[in-house]
Amino acid sequence: MATIQELLFQADNAQLRMPEFQRGWVWKRKNVRELFSSLYHGYPIGSIIVWPMKADDGRLVDSVIDGQQRLSALYSVIRGSKPHWSKGYDENAFANLMFGLEEERFDFATKERLNDPLWISVTEICQNPERWFEQLPEMSLEASTQAVYTHRITRLTNLWSKEVFVSRLPDKTSVEDAYRVFDVVNRAGTKVSEGDLVLGQISLKWHGAREVIEKRRSQWAENGFVVPLEWLLHAMAADLGNCIEYTKLISAGRDEIEDSYHKVVGAAEELQNSLRDHLGLGRDQATKFNMGLIAVAIARMRMGNGLSVEADRQYLAWWLLGTLWLRWSADTRNRVNRDLNIVLGGQGVEALIRELHRKSEGLSLRPDHFAARQSASQNVLKLMRIMTRRCGARSLGNGLGLSFEHIGHLSDLQAHHVFPRALLRERSVPKKEIDEVANLAFIRHDDNLKIGAKAPADYLPEIEEKNPGVLKSQWIPEVASHRRCNSSRGVGSFENLNSRRRPTPVPARVSPTEAVRAEIDELF
């Protein structure tokens, strides 16, 4: 237990801190009014839950996991000033809280209440209670009434001596356990991740860490790369402790943490350059860093300038295959740590491939992968998008290559249905076939708008004549095939579309399955 006065003293002296993952001020006047009413009438106001963390000077300080809004309201009203930890602070939420001696209730100041001697400022009475006891005799009140008011003022002045139950997590509580506690007690409030909790601990040693990290992540996002906070922190943990567990990172000193951060940032930015250079990833579609890239980043950091272009390509090829085969979608920690053991043990990409092969279906791309609906096969769709650009594809329409970033508000890359949805719906083609990856090409936004809902026979011959080879670059069979696909044979003719991705009686110029496999082989 601790009195409110003790809690505010601890907050003023940095013995009690609000970690940076906590949300800003969100309470309304109603919440503040009800909090003080509960205190006055002796009702419970809930416990404060704290998590001991080590500060930069080695001291253990209590970081508030639950109770920030209550502590902020108490501090604001009793101290009469903004809490130093508060973000997005609304002074109107606490300013001029008053207590009605006659009505025995709390409310906020109005012009009438400010001029009524029976309404008194809660802030003033907490800071200078003697003044009000001196004022009462001057009001010419009956003795019984004065006695009642004196008793009520006494109860007010005792507010900050009220005790609040403080629940303290054990000193050795892990990030995972603290996260579970926070998630339970804040289900209707702040949503945080394990990364937020770790950043809260780091910020006790490296002040301003959140601002530095978030600024960098925003810059990366503007360039088309989404780097989750957890990815960055796990990579720092791997740099310091050779695994992605946070223990070493949390126990490190400020200099170690900052040094690791800068090394990881350098590796992440070089990775972004490699992903853009080798795989053609651009700003037109955000690329999210998954956990598989941690091993690639650590390999870069350990080898420095010693990582050859060929080795770089091989690591990215391994990551691409691992993503396709969902290596890091389950049992993530163990799998990433296994990858790190291989990298740090100097076994190279070959050992990573053997590990991936052992856990997958043989790493073989099959035609049926491209027959899956795009919503159910996002990894295959991403692979096709990457390889379409990397193999020198050109947009249907203007014939411009897709390997470079184009200028203009309609130059972004879009997935285009070769056989338009409307046409196939008219022929009662099932939706899952309409949205197969096999029915998609990747073209510029403006070209997509120009083509609209035209049947392939109405626009593909003209496009091929204008820009010879453009269909082949998009894995599309000869134009004659599309004429047959648009014949009066109905729904069955749609099956010819899959000549783009799997064997059919209709000859295709190129098999994407074989072409993509060849490209991946070339990366190795």
Side-chain angles (χ1 to χ4, degrees):
M1 300 289 284
T3 66
I4 292 173
Q5 183 178 12
E6 290 170 342
L7 290 174
L8 299 188
F9 176 83
Q10 292 171 10
D12 279 332
N13 290 276
Q15 295 171 314
L16 189 70
R17 295 192 182 184
M18 304 297 160
E20 293 196 14
F21 60 78
Q22 287 279 23
R23 57 182 171 168
W25 180 264
V26 296
W27 267 20
K28 305 298 182 185
R29 284 187 162 195
K30 174 185 177 183
N31 304 114
V32 177
R33 188 172 61 235
E34 290 176 348
L35 173 66
F36 277 85
S37 179
S38 295
L39 280 171
Y40 178 81
H41 291 290
Y43 303 148
I45 62 168
S47 64
I48 305 295
I49 302 178
V50 298
W51 181 23
M53 295 181 177
K54 188 172 289 187
D56 51 355
D57 58 3
R59 291 183 304 126
L60 277 179
V61 299
D62 287 333
S63 188
V64 177
I65 283 186
D66 185 50
Q68 180 202 5
Q69 300 295 313
R70 282 166 287 161
L71 285 172
S72 295
L74 291 168
Y75 190 100
S76 301
V77 173
I78 294 174
R79 290 280 194 267
S81 61
K82 171 183 175 180
H84 57 82
W85 62 78
S86 187
K87 298 175 287 188
Y89 195 71
D90 179 12
E91 293 189 4
N92 292 324
F94 79 90
N96 294 323
L97 181 67
M98 304 190 78
F99 178 77
L101 288 172
E102 177 64 30
E103 302 174 41
E104 202 175 10
R105 69 182 180 88
F106 293 88
D107 214 329
F108 287 90
T110 61
K111 185 177 180 180
E112 292 75 16
R113 288 175 187 148
L114 288 172
N115 293 322
D116 187 341
L118 295 182
W119 278 89
I120 58 181
S121 166
V122 177
T123 299
E124 290 181 13
I125 202 168
C126 287
Q127 295 180 350
N128 187 14
E130 292 80 9
R131 171 190 169 189
W132 298 98
F133 290 116
E134 294 170 357
Q135 247 181 286
L136 278 177
E138 300 173 4
M139 294 183 185
S140 302
L141 301 170
E142 291 184 4
S144 59
T145 303
Q146 183 172 324
V148 170
Y149 290 171
T150 299
H151 175 68
R152 291 175 181 176
I153 290 176
T154 301
R155 290 176 63 184
L156 272 179
T157 60
N158 288 334
L159 281 183
W160 70 354
S161 64
K162 297 282 187 179
E163 289 189 327
V164 178
F165 184 76
V166 178
S167 179
R168 182 174 282 101
L169 299 183
D171 295 353
K172 302 293 186 180
T173 300
S174 67
V175 171
E176 293 80 5
D177 289 339
Y179 169 72
R180 281 191 283 271
V181 171
F182 191 96
D183 188 50
V184 169
V185 300
N186 284 276
R187 290 196 182 279
T190 306
K191 298 300 180 184
V192 301
S193 64
E194 288 183 8
D196 289 315
L197 294 176
V198 173
L199 187 54
Q201 291 223 17
I202 288 176
S203 298
L204 291 175
K205 304 172 185 178
W206 176 16
H207 303 302
R210 177 174 288 278
E211 289 75 12
V212 172
I213 291 174
E214 291 307 318
K215 181 179 180 181
R216 181 74 63 168
R217 292 179 60 229
S218 295
Q219 292 171 346
W220 290 340
E222 290 175 3
N223 289 324
F225 293 96
V226 177
V227 182
L229 174 62
E230 287 74 15
W231 188 95
L232 194 64
L233 295 173
H234 276 306
M236 292 167 63
D239 172 52
L240 293 170
N242 297 334
C243 69
I244 64 170
E245 311 307 327
Y246 291 125
T247 307
K248 183 68 175 177
L249 175 60
I250 290 173
S251 63
R254 171 176 176 162
D255 291 343
E256 284 184 292
I257 293 172
E258 283 198 72
D259 181 60
S260 180
Y261 166 74
H262 290 301
K263 286 194 294 183
V264 169
V265 164
E269 292 182 343
E270 284 301 313
L271 263 178
Q272 293 171 32
N273 291 331
S274 293
L275 289 168
R276 182 162 291 169
D277 183 46
H278 295 319
L279 301 182
L281 299 176
R283 292 184 179 88
D284 57 309
Q285 187 179 52
T287 299
K288 184 177 180 179
F289 272 35
N290 66 17
M291 294 294 282
L293 280 174
I294 289 179
V296 184
I298 294 299
R300 279 185 163 278
M301 292 163 64
R302 291 292 189 270
M303 299 185 69
N305 296 328
L307 188 65
S308 67
V309 173
E310 184 59 29
D312 191 26
R313 286 161 57 85
Q314 290 176 355
Y315 273 111
L316 290 184
W318 164 77
W319 166 74
L320 201 60
L321 285 172
T323 301
L324 179 65
W325 291 107
L326 306 176
R327 172 165 174 76
W328 304 287
S329 63
D331 194 24
T332 307
R333 289 178 184 270
N334 287 334
R335 293 183 181 183
V336 174
N337 284 332
R338 172 63 180 160
D339 296 337
L340 287 170
N341 286 335
I342 292 173
V343 168
L344 295 171
Q347 300 175 59
V349 177
E350 295 78 7
L352 289 173
I353 289 293
R354 286 196 296 271
E355 174 72 10
L356 184 59
H357 194 283
R358 187 171 66 86
K359 294 290 186 178
S360 70
E361 300 175 24
L363 305 183
S364 298
L365 285 170
R366 302 187 304 273
D368 59 281
H369 287 137
F370 302 97
R373 287 179 60 189
Q374 57 172 311
S375 59
S377 57
Q378 288 300 315
N379 288 326
V380 176
L381 184 65
K382 288 176 183 176
L383 178 65
M384 281 302 303
R385 185 186 182 97
I386 289 170
M387 291 305 175
T388 298
R389 293 184 69 168
R390 192 177 184 280
C391 292
R394 291 181 285 153
S395 185
L396 303 180
N398 59 24
L400 291 175
L402 303 179
S403 299
F404 305 97
E405 293 181 3
H406 296 171
I407 297 172
H409 72 287
L410 294 178
S411 64
D412 56 300
L413 206 60
Q414 292 190 336
H416 163 73
H417 286 71
V418 178
F419 287 78
R421 287 192 178 104
L423 176 66
L424 297 177
R425 287 195 196 104
E426 289 176 4
R427 299 191 177 191
S428 301
V429 174
K431 188 177 187 302
K432 66 178 182 179
E433 293 186 26
I434 295 175
D435 289 332
E436 283 183 352
V437 176
N439 191 29
L440 299 177
F442 303 99
I443 67 176
R444 284 169 50 110
H445 188 174
D446 49 3
D447 286 339
N448 205 6
L449 291 175
K450 291 173 185 175
I451 293 172
K454 294 178 183 176
D458 295 335
Y459 72 93
L460 289 182
E462 180 183 348
I463 286 175
E464 179 66 19
E465 183 178 356
K466 183 178 179 181
N467 298 297
V470 68
L471 299 186
K472 179 179 179 180
S473 77
Q474 288 279 352
W475 322 106
I476 298 176
E478 295 183 6
V479 175
S481 302
H482 298 282
R483 292 197 181 99
R484 273 185 269 176
C485 288
N486 284 289
S487 68
S488 59
R489 286 183 293 169
V491 176
S493 62
F494 175 65
E495 294 176 358
N496 289 315
L497 169 63
N498 292 322
S499 64
R500 299 176 66 208
R501 294 336 193 238
R502 60 177 180 252
T504 68
V506 181
R509 284 186 175 179
V510 64
S511 164
T513 306
E514 294 174 4
V516 172
R517 186 185 297 120
E519 278 297 317
I520 291 178
D521 289 342
E522 181 187 330
L523 285 173
F524 290 113

